[in-house]
Amino acid sequence: CAIRTSFAVELLSFCVRAHCYRMKCYVLRSRVLGNVLKLLNPVPSSSISSGDRCLKLAALRFLRSVLSVKDEFYHRHIIQYNLFAPVFEAFRANPVGDNLVSSAIIEMVDFIRTENIESLVDYIVRKHLSHSRPHVKSLASHWQALRM
């Protein structure tokens, strides 16, 4: 079941990149981005299966493909519905920094910083990085760069 869901999320990621306008209408109206990011919620059990990691990575790839479109409507939607909250909760739930989920989150923050998406930079600094210091050195360096 996790693999099928992962494929469905991958299909959504492809559609966001290939059909920009129609998918923007669909994603914003149906709030599918928030529902996909619910897959990032940490699993309460101690054993995490590879299917769970696969779902988390698919959700992060979907968010990354939405960000790569560089559309201000998506950015406002992310800010309005606080859609980075599950991303940073997933990062704080596993602060090691040496796994693929943490690396994908750090890469996403780096993409937002290098592309200088000002609305998201301001949102991330105010909502998610100002309350507590980041756990990983690379995210701490991004935090310093975003603050400036």
Side-chain angles (χ1 to χ4, degrees), residues 4 20 45 72 93 132 138 143 145:
R4 284 190 215 142
C20 294
S45 66
E72 191 62 34
S132 63
S138 56
W143 184 77

Side-chain angles (χ1 to χ4, degrees), residues 12-32:
L12 284 171
S13 298
F14 170 76
C15 290
V16 163
R17 290 186 306 270
H19 307 286
C20 294
Y21 179 74
R22 290 179 189 237
M23 278 305 289
K24 177 172 62 172
C25 294
Y26 175 72
V27 168
L28 296 179
R29 283 187 186 154
S30 66
R31 298 185 186 161
V32 72

Side-chain angles (χ1 to χ4, degrees), residues 45-73:
S45 66
S46 61
S47 64
I48 298 175
S49 68
S50 63
D52 293 335
R53 274 187 235 117
C54 185
L55 280 175
K56 289 180 181 189
L57 289 171
L60 287 172
R61 279 192 297 270
F62 180 58
L63 179 60
R64 179 66 169 78
S65 64
V66 166
L67 291 174
S68 69
V69 174
K70 300 177 193 169
D71 191 339
E72 191 62 34
F73 286 107

